Amino acid sequence: PLPGDDQLYQALGGVERIRRFTDDFYDRMLKDARIARYFEGIRMDHLKRVLADYFCVVAGGPCTYDGVNMKDAHAHLGIDRAAFNALVENLQAAMDAAHVPFSTQNRFLARMAHFHRDIVTR
């Protein structure tokens, strides 16, 4: 995002809605048999906070992300395209449940698509 461009952040509903759909997103992934194994032994409260901050920053919001980069965070997991697609489905469902408009979801997913090559490693 361009400095000072927080239109997507505002369209997503600000930090509270981003935190709400991020929490729902992780709850959905933990219940999804296709990808739940990737989260075994992970402190979910920490992961939810860090990813919500990351989503906020990617959307142009005022948050600070203090986690590791996407490549390092996912390098050891061996995520394939099917698992990545399941992740995207869960993110879309969580945004739907938070009443994020479809066009806003698409804008957000377009920004996140850049990280596909850092997450899918096999």
Side-chain angles (χ1 to χ4, degrees):
L2 299 171
D5 178 12
D6 71 348
Q7 289 181 347
L8 180 55
Y9 168 77
Q10 294 299 331
L12 286 170
V15 72
E16 290 307 315
R17 191 190 288 162
I18 291 170
R19 290 198 190 291
R20 192 165 57 248
F21 77 66
T22 303
D23 285 353
D24 184 24
F25 169 55
Y26 274 117
D27 292 344
R28 290 171 188 272
M29 289 194 298
L30 290 171
K31 294 174 188 166
D32 187 331
R34 299 172 295 175
I35 54 178
R37 70 182 183 279
Y38 293 108
F39 303 97
E40 291 173 2
I42 305 268
R43 279 190 35 230
M44 291 310 297
D45 59 331
H46 172 75
L47 197 55
K48 286 178 178 182
R49 180 192 62 79
V50 171
L51 189 65
D53 288 343
Y54 187 76
F55 284 166
C56 177
V57 169
V58 168
C63 306
T64 301
Y65 176 68
D66 62 4
V68 298
N69 67 52
M70 288 296 117
K71 187 172 191 126
D72 291 344
H74 296 90
H76 66 288
L77 296 174
I79 296 173
D80 61 16
R81 186 178 307 276
F84 183 83
N85 290 342
L87 175 146
V88 172
E89 288 172 28
N90 283 292
L91 180 55
Q92 288 176 298
M95 288 191 289
D96 276 342
H99 307 291
V100 174
F102 186 71
S103 61
T104 302
Q105 291 182 36
N106 284 340
R107 288 172 44 214
F108 181 64
L109 291 172
R111 284 203 187 160
M112 294 300 297
H114 169 76
F115 303 103
H116 175 267
R117 66 181 163 267
D118 292 337
I119 296 170
V120 176
T121 57
R122 64 178 193 119

